[in-house]
PDB file of all heavy atoms in Angstrom:
ATOM      1  N   LEU W 295       0.850  -1.191   0.000  1.00 98.00           N
ATOM      2  CA  LEU W 295       0.000   0.000   0.000  1.00 98.00           C
ATOM      3  C   LEU W 295       0.883   1.238   0.000  1.00 98.00           C
ATOM      4  O   LEU W 295       1.727   1.405   0.888  1.00 98.00           O
ATOM      5  CB  LEU W 295      -0.904   0.012   1.231  1.00 98.00           C
ATOM      6  CG  LEU W 295      -1.808   1.240   1.380  1.00 98.00           C
ATOM      7  CD1 LEU W 295      -2.871   1.232   0.279  1.00 98.00           C
ATOM      8  CD2 LEU W 295      -2.466   1.259   2.749  1.00 98.00           C
ATOM      9  N   ILE W 296       0.688   2.099  -0.995  1.00 97.00           N
ATOM     10  CA  ILE W 296       1.430   3.358  -1.056  1.00 97.00           C
ATOM     11  C   ILE W 296       0.525   4.488  -0.587  1.00 97.00           C
ATOM     12  O   ILE W 296      -0.642   4.574  -0.978  1.00 97.00           O
ATOM     13  CB  ILE W 296       1.976   3.620  -2.482  1.00 97.00           C
ATOM     14  CG1 ILE W 296       2.900   4.849  -2.492  1.00 97.00           C
ATOM     15  CG2 ILE W 296       0.856   3.768  -3.504  1.00 97.00           C
ATOM     16  CD1 ILE W 296       3.669   5.019  -3.810  1.00 97.00           C
ATOM     17  N   THR W 297       1.062   5.319   0.296  1.00 95.00           N
ATOM     18  CA  THR W 297       0.323   6.473   0.793  1.00 95.00           C
ATOM     19  C   THR W 297       1.255   7.678   0.825  1.00 95.00           C
ATOM     20  O   THR W 297       2.468   7.529   0.683  1.00 95.00           O
ATOM     21  CB  THR W 297      -0.225   6.235   2.210  1.00 95.00           C
ATOM     22  OG1 THR W 297       0.864   5.900   3.085  1.00 95.00           O
ATOM     23  CG2 THR W 297      -1.241   5.104   2.231  1.00 95.00           C
ATOM     24  N   ARG W 298       0.674   8.862   0.985  1.00 93.00           N
ATOM     25  CA  ARG W 298       1.529  10.050   1.077  1.00 93.00           C
ATOM     26  C   ARG W 298       0.976  11.007   2.120  1.00 93.00           C
ATOM     27  O   ARG W 298      -0.221  11.016   2.417  1.00 93.00           O
ATOM     28  CB  ARG W 298       1.657  10.762  -0.278  1.00 93.00           C
ATOM     29  CG  ARG W 298       0.520  11.745  -0.604  1.00 93.00           C
ATOM     30  CD  ARG W 298      -0.566  11.095  -1.381  1.00 93.00           C
ATOM     31  NE  ARG W 298      -1.568  12.041  -1.820  1.00 93.00           N
ATOM     32  CZ  ARG W 298      -2.736  12.226  -1.205  1.00 93.00           C
ATOM     33  NH1 ARG W 298      -3.018  11.566  -0.097  1.00 93.00           N
ATOM     34  NH2 ARG W 298      -3.619  13.087  -1.705  1.00 93.00           N
ATOM     35  N   ASP W 299       1.882  11.786   2.681  1.00 91.00           N
ATOM     36  CA  ASP W 299       1.534  12.837   3.634  1.00 91.00           C
ATOM     37  C   ASP W 299       1.937  14.145   2.974  1.00 91.00           C
ATOM     38  O   ASP W 299       3.128  14.475   2.917  1.00 91.00           O
ATOM     39  CB  ASP W 299       2.271  12.617   4.950  1.00 91.00           C
ATOM     40  CG  ASP W 299       1.877  13.632   6.017  1.00 91.00           C
ATOM     41  OD1 ASP W 299       1.560  14.793   5.654  1.00 91.00           O
ATOM     42  OD2 ASP W 299       1.908  13.296   7.191  1.00 91.00           O
ATOM     43  N   ASN W 300       0.964  14.850   2.450  1.00 86.00           N
ATOM     44  CA  ASN W 300       1.261  16.067   1.699  1.00 86.00           C
ATOM     45  C   ASN W 300       1.987  17.104   2.553  1.00 86.00           C
ATOM     46  O   ASN W 300       2.899  17.786   2.084  1.00 86.00           O
ATOM     47  CB  ASN W 300      -0.037  16.682   1.166  1.00 86.00           C
ATOM     48  CG  ASN W 300      -0.659  15.842   0.090  1.00 86.00           C
ATOM     49  OD1 ASN W 300      -0.315  14.669  -0.086  1.00 86.00           O
ATOM     50  ND2 ASN W 300      -1.582  16.411  -0.658  1.00 86.00           N
ATOM     51  N   ALA W 301       1.586  17.223   3.801  1.00 88.00           N
ATOM     52  CA  ALA W 301       2.168  18.248   4.671  1.00 88.00           C
ATOM     53  C   ALA W 301       3.639  17.980   4.936  1.00 88.00           C
ATOM     54  O   ALA W 301       4.427  18.912   5.125  1.00 88.00           O
ATOM     55  CB  ALA W 301       1.400  18.316   5.974  1.00 88.00           C
ATOM     56  N   LYS W 302       4.015  16.701   4.953  1.00 90.00           N
ATOM     57  CA  LYS W 302       5.401  16.324   5.243  1.00 90.00           C
ATOM     58  C   LYS W 302       6.195  16.009   3.986  1.00 90.00           C
ATOM     59  O   LYS W 302       7.375  15.657   4.075  1.00 90.00           O
ATOM     60  CB  LYS W 302       5.429  15.107   6.171  1.00 90.00           C
ATOM     61  CG  LYS W 302       4.843  15.362   7.546  1.00 90.00           C
ATOM     62  CD  LYS W 302       4.934  14.109   8.409  1.00 90.00           C
ATOM     63  CE  LYS W 302       4.379  14.356   9.795  1.00 90.00           C
ATOM     64  NZ  LYS W 302       4.458  13.134  10.644  1.00 90.00           N
ATOM     65  N   ASN W 303       5.571  16.116   2.820  1.00 90.00           N
ATOM     66  CA  ASN W 303       6.238  15.758   1.554  1.00 90.00           C
ATOM     67  C   ASN W 303       6.879  14.383   1.657  1.00 90.00           C
ATOM     68  O   ASN W 303       8.030  14.168   1.271  1.00 90.00           O
ATOM     69  CB  ASN W 303       7.292  16.799   1.165  1.00 90.00           C
ATOM     70  CG  ASN W 303       6.669  18.121   0.779  1.00 90.00           C
ATOM     71  OD1 ASN W 303       5.544  18.169   0.280  1.00 90.00           O
ATOM     72  ND2 ASN W 303       7.365  19.204   1.003  1.00 90.00           N
ATOM     73  N   THR W 304       6.122  13.450   2.188  1.00 93.00           N
ATOM     74  CA  THR W 304       6.625  12.106   2.453  1.00 93.00           C
ATOM     75  C   THR W 304       5.704  11.070   1.841  1.00 93.00           C
ATOM     76  O   THR W 304       4.481  11.223   1.876  1.00 93.00           O
ATOM     77  CB  THR W 304       6.748  11.870   3.968  1.00 93.00           C
ATOM     78  OG1 THR W 304       7.686  12.804   4.508  1.00 93.00           O
ATOM     79  CG2 THR W 304       7.231  10.465   4.263  1.00 93.00           C
ATOM     80  N   VAL W 305       6.300  10.034   1.297  1.00 95.00           N
ATOM     81  CA  VAL W 305       5.543   8.911   0.763  1.00 95.00           C
ATOM     82  C   VAL W 305       5.962   7.654   1.512  1.00 95.00           C
ATOM     83  O   VAL W 305       7.117   7.523   1.929  1.00 95.00           O
ATOM     84  CB  VAL W 305       5.760   8.769  -0.764  1.00 95.00           C
ATOM     85  CG1 VAL W 305       7.204   8.406  -1.087  1.00 95.00           C
ATOM     86  CG2 VAL W 305       4.803   7.750  -1.356  1.00 95.00           C
ATOM     87  N   TYR W 306       5.015   6.767   1.709  1.00 97.00           N
ATOM     88  CA  TYR W 306       5.241   5.541   2.463  1.00 97.00           C
ATOM     89  C   TYR W 306       4.894   4.332   1.588  1.00 97.00           C
ATOM     90  O   TYR W 306       4.052   4.413   0.692  1.00 97.00           O
ATOM     91  CB  TYR W 306       4.357   5.503   3.712  1.00 97.00           C
ATOM     92  CG  TYR W 306       4.526   6.712   4.613  1.00 97.00           C
ATOM     93  CD1 TYR W 306       3.676   7.801   4.501  1.00 97.00           C
ATOM     94  CD2 TYR W 306       5.552   6.757   5.553  1.00 97.00           C
ATOM     95  CE1 TYR W 306       3.828   8.918   5.311  1.00 97.00           C
ATOM     96  CE2 TYR W 306       5.709   7.867   6.364  1.00 97.00           C
ATOM     97  CZ  TYR W 306       4.844   8.939   6.246  1.00 97.00           C
ATOM     98  OH  TYR W 306       5.000  10.042   7.042  1.00 97.00           O
ATOM     99  N   LEU W 307       5.523   3.220   1.883  1.00 98.00           N
ATOM    100  CA  LEU W 307       5.174   1.951   1.246  1.00 98.00           C
ATOM    101  C   LEU W 307       5.035   0.909   2.350  1.00 98.00           C
ATOM    102  O   LEU W 307       6.030   0.483   2.931  1.00 98.00           O
ATOM    103  CB  LEU W 307       6.231   1.525   0.226  1.00 98.00           C
ATOM    104  CG  LEU W 307       5.866   0.292  -0.587  1.00 98.00           C
ATOM    105  CD1 LEU W 307       4.687   0.607  -1.529  1.00 98.00           C
ATOM    106  CD2 LEU W 307       7.059  -0.212  -1.397  1.00 98.00           C
ATOM    107  N   GLN W 308       3.796   0.548   2.632  1.00 98.00           N
ATOM    108  CA  GLN W 308       3.524  -0.511   3.594  1.00 98.00           C
ATOM    109  C   GLN W 308       3.553  -1.839   2.846  1.00 98.00           C
ATOM    110  O   GLN W 308       2.781  -2.027   1.892  1.00 98.00           O
ATOM    111  CB  GLN W 308       2.159  -0.310   4.250  1.00 98.00           C
ATOM    112  CG  GLN W 308       1.773  -1.397   5.235  1.00 98.00           C
ATOM    113  CD  GLN W 308       2.668  -1.449   6.455  1.00 98.00           C
ATOM    114  OE1 GLN W 308       3.008  -0.420   7.028  1.00 98.00           O
ATOM    115  NE2 GLN W 308       3.057  -2.653   6.854  1.00 98.00           N
ATOM    116  N   MET W 309       4.454  -2.715   3.258  1.00 98.00           N
ATOM    117  CA  MET W 309       4.637  -3.990   2.565  1.00 98.00           C
ATOM    118  C   MET W 309       4.252  -5.113   3.512  1.00 98.00           C
ATOM    119  O   MET W 309       4.878  -5.283   4.562  1.00 98.00           O
ATOM    120  CB  MET W 309       6.094  -4.138   2.118  1.00 98.00           C
ATOM    121  CG  MET W 309       6.574  -2.988   1.254  1.00 98.00           C
ATOM    122  SD  MET W 309       8.240  -3.238   0.605  1.00 98.00           S
ATOM    123  CE  MET W 309       9.189  -3.217   2.115  1.00 98.00           C
ATOM    124  N   ASN W 310       3.220  -5.851   3.146  1.00 98.00           N
ATOM    125  CA  ASN W 310       2.729  -6.969   3.962  1.00 98.00           C
ATOM    126  C   ASN W 310       2.901  -8.279   3.197  1.00 98.00           C
ATOM    127  O   ASN W 310       3.088  -8.284   1.976  1.00 98.00           O
ATOM    128  CB  ASN W 310       1.256  -6.755   4.300  1.00 98.00           C
ATOM    129  CG  ASN W 310       1.012  -5.477   5.085  1.00 98.00           C
ATOM    130  OD1 ASN W 310       1.810  -5.105   5.951  1.00 98.00           O
ATOM    131  ND2 ASN W 310      -0.091  -4.799   4.794  1.00 98.00           N
ATOM    132  N   SER W 311       2.793  -9.367   3.932  1.00 98.00           N
ATOM    133  CA  SER W 311       2.898 -10.707   3.331  1.00 98.00           C
ATOM    134  C   SER W 311       4.116 -10.800   2.417  1.00 98.00           C
ATOM    135  O   SER W 311       4.029 -11.269   1.278  1.00 98.00           O
ATOM    136  CB  SER W 311       1.618 -11.027   2.542  1.00 98.00           C
ATOM    137  OG  SER W 311       0.481 -10.954   3.365  1.00 98.00           O
ATOM    138  N   LEU W 312       5.241 -10.360   2.928  1.00 98.00           N
ATOM    139  CA  LEU W 312       6.456 -10.307   2.109  1.00 98.00           C
ATOM    140  C   LEU W 312       6.922 -11.695   1.706  1.00 98.00           C
ATOM    141  O   LEU W 312       6.787 -12.665   2.478  1.00 98.00           O
ATOM    142  CB  LEU W 312       7.551  -9.560   2.847  1.00 98.00           C
ATOM    143  CG  LEU W 312       7.381  -8.035   2.817  1.00 98.00           C
ATOM    144  CD1 LEU W 312       8.187  -7.379   3.933  1.00 98.00           C
ATOM    145  CD2 LEU W 312       7.785  -7.477   1.467  1.00 98.00           C
ATOM    146  N   LYS W 313       7.461 -11.763   0.492  1.00 98.00           N
ATOM    147  CA  LYS W 313       7.944 -13.009  -0.077  1.00 98.00           C
ATOM    148  C   LYS W 313       9.438 -12.866  -0.374  1.00 98.00           C
ATOM    149  O   LYS W 313       9.933 -11.753  -0.587  1.00 98.00           O
ATOM    150  CB  LYS W 313       7.205 -13.306  -1.385  1.00 98.00           C
ATOM    151  CG  LYS W 313       5.695 -13.353  -1.247  1.00 98.00           C
ATOM    152  CD  LYS W 313       5.048 -13.532  -2.614  1.00 98.00           C
ATOM    153  CE  LYS W 313       3.534 -13.562  -2.516  1.00 98.00           C
ATOM    154  NZ  LYS W 313       2.898 -13.743  -3.851  1.00 98.00           N
ATOM    155  N   PRO W 314      10.147 -13.985  -0.461  1.00 97.00           N
ATOM    156  CA  PRO W 314      11.572 -13.891  -0.815  1.00 97.00           C
ATOM    157  C   PRO W 314      11.813 -13.142  -2.127  1.00 97.00           C
ATOM    158  O   PRO W 314      12.819 -12.438  -2.256  1.00 97.00           O
ATOM    159  CB  PRO W 314      11.993 -15.359  -0.914  1.00 97.00           C
ATOM    160  CG  PRO W 314      11.077 -16.065   0.034  1.00 97.00           C
ATOM    161  CD  PRO W 314       9.761 -15.352  -0.099  1.00 97.00           C
ATOM    162  N   GLU W 315      10.888 -13.262  -3.060  1.00 96.00           N
ATOM    163  CA  GLU W 315      11.055 -12.574  -4.344  1.00 96.00           C
ATOM    164  C   GLU W 315      10.861 -11.058  -4.247  1.00 96.00           C
ATOM    165  O   GLU W 315      11.083 -10.341  -5.217  1.00 96.00           O
ATOM    166  CB  GLU W 315      10.110 -13.143  -5.413  1.00 96.00           C
ATOM    167  CG  GLU W 315       8.666 -13.234  -5.001  1.00 96.00           C
ATOM    168  CD  GLU W 315       8.304 -14.631  -4.490  1.00 96.00           C
ATOM    169  OE1 GLU W 315       9.096 -15.211  -3.713  1.00 96.00           O
ATOM    170  OE2 GLU W 315       7.197 -15.113  -4.844  1.00 96.00           O
ATOM    171  N   ASP W 316      10.466 -10.569  -3.087  1.00 98.00           N
ATOM    172  CA  ASP W 316      10.403  -9.115  -2.866  1.00 98.00           C
ATOM    173  C   ASP W 316      11.766  -8.547  -2.479  1.00 98.00           C
ATOM    174  O   ASP W 316      11.916  -7.319  -2.373  1.00 98.00           O
ATOM    175  CB  ASP W 316       9.394  -8.777  -1.766  1.00 98.00           C
ATOM    176  CG  ASP W 316       7.966  -9.123  -2.137  1.00 98.00           C
ATOM    177  OD1 ASP W 316       7.572  -8.833  -3.297  1.00 98.00           O
ATOM    178  OD2 ASP W 316       7.249  -9.670  -1.292  1.00 98.00           O
ATOM    179  N   THR W 317      12.734  -9.421  -2.272  1.00 98.00           N
ATOM    180  CA  THR W 317      14.075  -8.970  -1.916  1.00 98.00           C
ATOM    181  C   THR W 317      14.674  -8.112  -3.026  1.00 98.00           C
ATOM    182  O   THR W 317      14.714  -8.529  -4.187  1.00 98.00           O
ATOM    183  CB  THR W 317      14.995 -10.168  -1.643  1.00 98.00           C
ATOM    184  OG1 THR W 317      14.509 -10.877  -0.493  1.00 98.00           O
ATOM    185  CG2 THR W 317      16.424  -9.721  -1.396  1.00 98.00           C
ATOM    186  N   ALA W 318      15.095  -6.900  -2.666  1.00 98.00           N
ATOM    187  CA  ALA W 318      15.622  -5.956  -3.647  1.00 98.00           C
ATOM    188  C   ALA W 318      16.061  -4.688  -2.927  1.00 98.00           C
ATOM    189  O   ALA W 318      15.782  -4.514  -1.734  1.00 98.00           O
ATOM    190  CB  ALA W 318      14.554  -5.604  -4.691  1.00 98.00           C
ATOM    191  N   VAL W 319      16.731  -3.831  -3.672  1.00 98.00           N
ATOM    192  CA  VAL W 319      16.940  -2.463  -3.210  1.00 98.00           C
ATOM    193  C   VAL W 319      15.735  -1.649  -3.679  1.00 98.00           C
ATOM    194  O   VAL W 319      15.391  -1.672  -4.865  1.00 98.00           O
ATOM    195  CB  VAL W 319      18.239  -1.863  -3.752  1.00 98.00           C
ATOM    196  CG1 VAL W 319      18.385  -0.412  -3.287  1.00 98.00           C
ATOM    197  CG2 VAL W 319      19.441  -2.690  -3.303  1.00 98.00           C
ATOM    198  N   TYR W 320      15.115  -0.968  -2.767  1.00 98.00           N
ATOM    199  CA  TYR W 320      13.925  -0.169  -3.070  1.00 98.00           C
ATOM    200  C   TYR W 320      14.325   1.295  -3.168  1.00 98.00           C
ATOM    201  O   TYR W 320      14.991   1.829  -2.270  1.00 98.00           O
ATOM    202  CB  TYR W 320      12.861  -0.374  -1.998  1.00 98.00           C
ATOM    203  CG  TYR W 320      12.141  -1.691  -2.138  1.00 98.00           C
ATOM    204  CD1 TYR W 320      12.793  -2.894  -1.867  1.00 98.00           C
ATOM    205  CD2 TYR W 320      10.823  -1.750  -2.573  1.00 98.00           C
ATOM    206  CE1 TYR W 320      12.154  -4.113  -2.022  1.00 98.00           C
ATOM    207  CE2 TYR W 320      10.163  -2.962  -2.721  1.00 98.00           C
ATOM    208  CZ  TYR W 320      10.841  -4.137  -2.451  1.00 98.00           C
ATOM    209  OH  TYR W 320      10.194  -5.335  -2.616  1.00 98.00           O
ATOM    210  N   TYR W 321      13.899   1.921  -4.272  1.00 97.00           N
ATOM    211  CA  TYR W 321      14.251   3.304  -4.535  1.00 97.00           C
ATOM    212  C   TYR W 321      12.999   4.176  -4.576  1.00 97.00           C
ATOM    213  O   TYR W 321      11.983   3.811  -5.175  1.00 97.00           O
ATOM    214  CB  TYR W 321      14.954   3.433  -5.890  1.00 97.00           C
ATOM    215  CG  TYR W 321      16.287   2.729  -5.977  1.00 97.00           C
ATOM    216  CD1 TYR W 321      16.376   1.420  -6.434  1.00 97.00           C
ATOM    217  CD2 TYR W 321      17.457   3.391  -5.615  1.00 97.00           C
ATOM    218  CE1 TYR W 321      17.593   0.769  -6.522  1.00 97.00           C
ATOM    219  CE2 TYR W 321      18.689   2.751  -5.703  1.00 97.00           C
ATOM    220  CZ  TYR W 321      18.738   1.445  -6.151  1.00 97.00           C
ATOM    221  OH  TYR W 321      19.949   0.812  -6.245  1.00 97.00           O
ATOM    222  N   CYS W 322      13.130   5.339  -4.001  1.00 97.00           N
ATOM    223  CA  CYS W 322      12.080   6.341  -4.083  1.00 97.00           C
ATOM    224  C   CYS W 322      12.382   7.249  -5.275  1.00 97.00           C
ATOM    225  O   CYS W 322      13.546   7.564  -5.546  1.00 97.00           O
ATOM    226  CB  CYS W 322      12.085   7.149  -2.793  1.00 97.00           C
ATOM    227  SG  CYS W 322      10.896   8.496  -2.729  1.00 97.00           S
ATOM    228  N   TYR W 323      11.351   7.636  -5.975  1.00 96.00           N
ATOM    229  CA  TYR W 323      11.465   8.528  -7.138  1.00 96.00           C
ATOM    230  C   TYR W 323      10.449   9.642  -6.986  1.00 96.00           C
ATOM    231  O   TYR W 323       9.304   9.397  -6.582  1.00 96.00           O
ATOM    232  CB  TYR W 323      11.189   7.735  -8.418  1.00 96.00           C
ATOM    233  CG  TYR W 323      10.861   8.592  -9.613  1.00 96.00           C
ATOM    234  CD1 TYR W 323      11.858   9.038 -10.465  1.00 96.00           C
ATOM    235  CD2 TYR W 323       9.541   8.935  -9.892  1.00 96.00           C
ATOM    236  CE1 TYR W 323      11.547   9.830 -11.566  1.00 96.00           C
ATOM    237  CE2 TYR W 323       9.228   9.721 -10.977  1.00 96.00           C
ATOM    238  CZ  TYR W 323      10.226  10.164 -11.807  1.00 96.00           C
ATOM    239  OH  TYR W 323       9.920  10.948 -12.885  1.00 96.00           O
ATOM    240  N   GLY W 324      10.871  10.863  -7.302  1.00 93.00           N
ATOM    241  CA  GLY W 324       9.964  11.988  -7.202  1.00 93.00           C
ATOM    242  C   GLY W 324       9.898  12.793  -8.481  1.00 93.00           C
ATOM    243  O   GLY W 324      10.941  13.105  -9.079  1.00 93.00           O
ATOM    244  N   ASP W 325       8.701  13.111  -8.890  1.00 91.00           N
ATOM    245  CA  ASP W 325       8.454  13.958 -10.070  1.00 91.00           C
ATOM    246  C   ASP W 325       8.126  15.348  -9.566  1.00 91.00           C
ATOM    247  O   ASP W 325       6.991  15.620  -9.136  1.00 91.00           O
ATOM    248  CB  ASP W 325       7.300  13.384 -10.891  1.00 91.00           C
ATOM    249  CG  ASP W 325       6.986  14.247 -12.108  1.00 91.00           C
ATOM    250  OD1 ASP W 325       7.761  15.183 -12.411  1.00 91.00           O
ATOM    251  OD2 ASP W 325       5.950  13.986 -12.758  1.00 91.00           O
ATOM    252  N   PHE W 326       9.155  16.213  -9.565  1.00 89.00           N
ATOM    253  CA  PHE W 326       9.015  17.587  -9.079  1.00 89.00           C
ATOM    254  C   PHE W 326       9.328  18.508 -10.255  1.00 89.00           C
ATOM    255  O   PHE W 326      10.466  18.909 -10.446  1.00 89.00           O
ATOM    256  CB  PHE W 326       9.991  17.862  -7.942  1.00 89.00           C
ATOM    257  CG  PHE W 326       9.894  16.903  -6.785  1.00 89.00           C
ATOM    258  CD1 PHE W 326      10.783  15.853  -6.678  1.00 89.00           C
ATOM    259  CD2 PHE W 326       8.930  17.051  -5.821  1.00 89.00           C
ATOM    260  CE1 PHE W 326      10.706  14.962  -5.617  1.00 89.00           C
ATOM    261  CE2 PHE W 326       8.851  16.168  -4.754  1.00 89.00           C
ATOM    262  CZ  PHE W 326       9.745  15.122  -4.658  1.00 89.00           C
ATOM    263  N   PRO W 327       8.322  18.826 -11.041  1.00 86.00           N
ATOM    264  CA  PRO W 327       8.575  19.585 -12.256  1.00 86.00           C
ATOM    265  C   PRO W 327       9.405  20.842 -12.028  1.00 86.00           C
ATOM    266  O   PRO W 327       9.179  21.559 -11.044  1.00 86.00           O
ATOM    267  CB  PRO W 327       7.164  19.949 -12.741  1.00 86.00           C
ATOM    268  CG  PRO W 327       6.281  18.909 -12.139  1.00 86.00           C
ATOM    269  CD  PRO W 327       6.917  18.586 -10.810  1.00 86.00           C
ATOM    270  N   PRO W 328      10.378  21.132 -12.867  1.00 87.00           N
ATOM    271  CA  PRO W 328      10.685  20.407 -14.101  1.00 87.00           C
ATOM    272  C   PRO W 328      11.715  19.296 -13.939  1.00 87.00           C
ATOM    273  O   PRO W 328      12.312  18.861 -14.927  1.00 87.00           O
ATOM    274  CB  PRO W 328      11.246  21.527 -14.991  1.00 87.00           C
ATOM    275  CG  PRO W 328      11.989  22.392 -14.030  1.00 87.00           C
ATOM    276  CD  PRO W 328      11.193  22.378 -12.750  1.00 87.00           C
ATOM    277  N   TYR W 329      11.944  18.862 -12.702  1.00 88.00           N
ATOM    278  CA  TYR W 329      13.007  17.884 -12.476  1.00 88.00           C
ATOM    279  C   TYR W 329      12.460  16.583 -11.902  1.00 88.00           C
ATOM    280  O   TYR W 329      11.326  16.515 -11.419  1.00 88.00           O
ATOM    281  CB  TYR W 329      14.054  18.465 -11.507  1.00 88.00           C
ATOM    282  CG  TYR W 329      14.661  19.757 -11.986  1.00 88.00           C
ATOM    283  CD1 TYR W 329      14.351  20.970 -11.382  1.00 88.00           C
ATOM    284  CD2 TYR W 329      15.536  19.770 -13.066  1.00 88.00           C
ATOM    285  CE1 TYR W 329      14.893  22.154 -11.825  1.00 88.00           C
ATOM    286  CE2 TYR W 329      16.087  20.956 -13.522  1.00 88.00           C
ATOM    287  CZ  TYR W 329      15.764  22.137 -12.898  1.00 88.00           C
ATOM    288  OH  TYR W 329      16.305  23.310 -13.348  1.00 88.00           O
ATOM    289  N   GLU W 330      13.320  15.563 -11.966  1.00 92.00           N
ATOM    290  CA  GLU W 330      13.029  14.264 -11.378  1.00 92.00           C
ATOM    291  C   GLU W 330      14.201  13.884 -10.475  1.00 92.00           C
ATOM    292  O   GLU W 330      15.357  14.175 -10.802  1.00 92.00           O
ATOM    293  CB  GLU W 330      12.846  13.200 -12.472  1.00 92.00           C
ATOM    294  CG  GLU W 330      11.744  13.532 -13.446  1.00 92.00           C
ATOM    295  CD  GLU W 330      11.696  12.556 -14.616  1.00 92.00           C
ATOM    296  OE1 GLU W 330      12.695  11.832 -14.819  1.00 92.00           O
ATOM    297  OE2 GLU W 330      10.677  12.534 -15.318  1.00 92.00           O
ATOM    298  N   TYR W 331      13.889  13.225  -9.371  1.00 94.00           N
ATOM    299  CA  TYR W 331      14.925  12.883  -8.409  1.00 94.00           C
ATOM    300  C   TYR W 331      14.767  11.443  -7.951  1.00 94.00           C
ATOM    301  O   TYR W 331      13.655  10.893  -7.935  1.00 94.00           O
ATOM    302  CB  TYR W 331      14.840  13.811  -7.183  1.00 94.00           C
ATOM    303  CG  TYR W 331      15.106  15.256  -7.507  1.00 94.00           C
ATOM    304  CD1 TYR W 331      14.062  16.127  -7.808  1.00 94.00           C
ATOM    305  CD2 TYR W 331      16.410  15.755  -7.515  1.00 94.00           C
ATOM    306  CE1 TYR W 331      14.298  17.453  -8.108  1.00 94.00           C
ATOM    307  CE2 TYR W 331      16.652  17.081  -7.811  1.00 94.00           C
ATOM    308  CZ  TYR W 331      15.592  17.928  -8.114  1.00 94.00           C
ATOM    309  OH  TYR W 331      15.839  19.243  -8.422  1.00 94.00           O
ATOM    310  N   TRP W 332      15.891  10.867  -7.543  1.00 96.00           N
ATOM    311  CA  TRP W 332      15.928   9.510  -7.001  1.00 96.00           C
ATOM    312  C   TRP W 332      16.540   9.549  -5.609  1.00 96.00           C
ATOM    313  O   TRP W 332      17.453  10.323  -5.340  1.00 96.00           O
ATOM    314  CB  TRP W 332      16.777   8.604  -7.886  1.00 96.00           C
ATOM    315  CG  TRP W 332      16.157   8.281  -9.200  1.00 96.00           C
ATOM    316  CD1 TRP W 332      16.292   8.976 -10.367  1.00 96.00           C
ATOM    317  CD2 TRP W 332      15.299   7.168  -9.499  1.00 96.00           C
ATOM    318  NE1 TRP W 332      15.573   8.375 -11.363  1.00 96.00           N
ATOM    319  CE2 TRP W 332      14.963   7.261 -10.863  1.00 96.00           C
ATOM    320  CE3 TRP W 332      14.796   6.108  -8.748  1.00 96.00           C
ATOM    321  CZ2 TRP W 332      14.126   6.328 -11.497  1.00 96.00           C
ATOM    322  CZ3 TRP W 332      13.977   5.189  -9.374  1.00 96.00           C
ATOM    323  CH2 TRP W 332      13.644   5.301 -10.725  1.00 96.00           C
ATOM    324  N   GLY W 333      16.045   8.652  -4.733  1.00 95.00           N
ATOM    325  CA  GLY W 333      16.683   8.440  -3.464  1.00 95.00           C
ATOM    326  C   GLY W 333      17.872   7.508  -3.619  1.00 95.00           C
ATOM    327  O   GLY W 333      18.139   6.982  -4.701  1.00 95.00           O
ATOM    328  N   GLN W 334      18.552   7.268  -2.506  1.00 95.00           N
ATOM    329  CA  GLN W 334      19.779   6.459  -2.539  1.00 95.00           C
ATOM    330  C   GLN W 334      19.489   4.972  -2.486  1.00 95.00           C
ATOM    331  O   GLN W 334      20.376   4.168  -2.755  1.00 95.00           O
ATOM    332  CB  GLN W 334      20.694   6.856  -1.365  1.00 95.00           C
ATOM    333  CG  GLN W 334      20.313   6.259  -0.013  1.00 95.00           C
ATOM    334  CD  GLN W 334      19.111   6.913   0.632  1.00 95.00           C
ATOM    335  OE1 GLN W 334      18.538   7.880   0.124  1.00 95.00           O
ATOM    336  NE2 GLN W 334      18.732   6.393   1.800  1.00 95.00           N
ATOM    337  N   GLY W 335      18.263   4.602  -2.144  1.00 96.00           N
ATOM    338  CA  GLY W 335      17.896   3.196  -2.075  1.00 96.00           C
ATOM    339  C   GLY W 335      17.990   2.641  -0.670  1.00 96.00           C
ATOM    340  O   GLY W 335      18.822   3.074   0.131  1.00 96.00           O
TER     341      GLY W 335
END
């Protein structure tokens, strides 16, 4: 489940029933016109 808190400019990813195939580096991406940004993972 992805949610966001507009006041905090924060996005969350609630991950339930995790499986081994969910193993990965997870990256946040933001579309802030006119630019795009990535988190460090």
Side-chain angles (χ1 to χ4, degrees):
L295 178 68
I296 187 170
T297 57
R298 84 267 186 260
D299 184 328
N300 291 16
K302 296 181 179 180
N303 291 331
T304 298
V305 65
Y306 305 95
L307 186 68
Q308 178 65 44
M309 304 185 295
N310 300 322
S311 302
L312 282 160
K313 304 175 181 180
E315 51 264 44
D316 295 317
T317 296
V319 178
Y320 284 70
Y321 295 92
C322 177
Y323 162 91
D325 179 9
F326 305 99
Y329 303 108
E330 302 173 344
Y331 296 93
W332 289 90
Q334 79 285 357

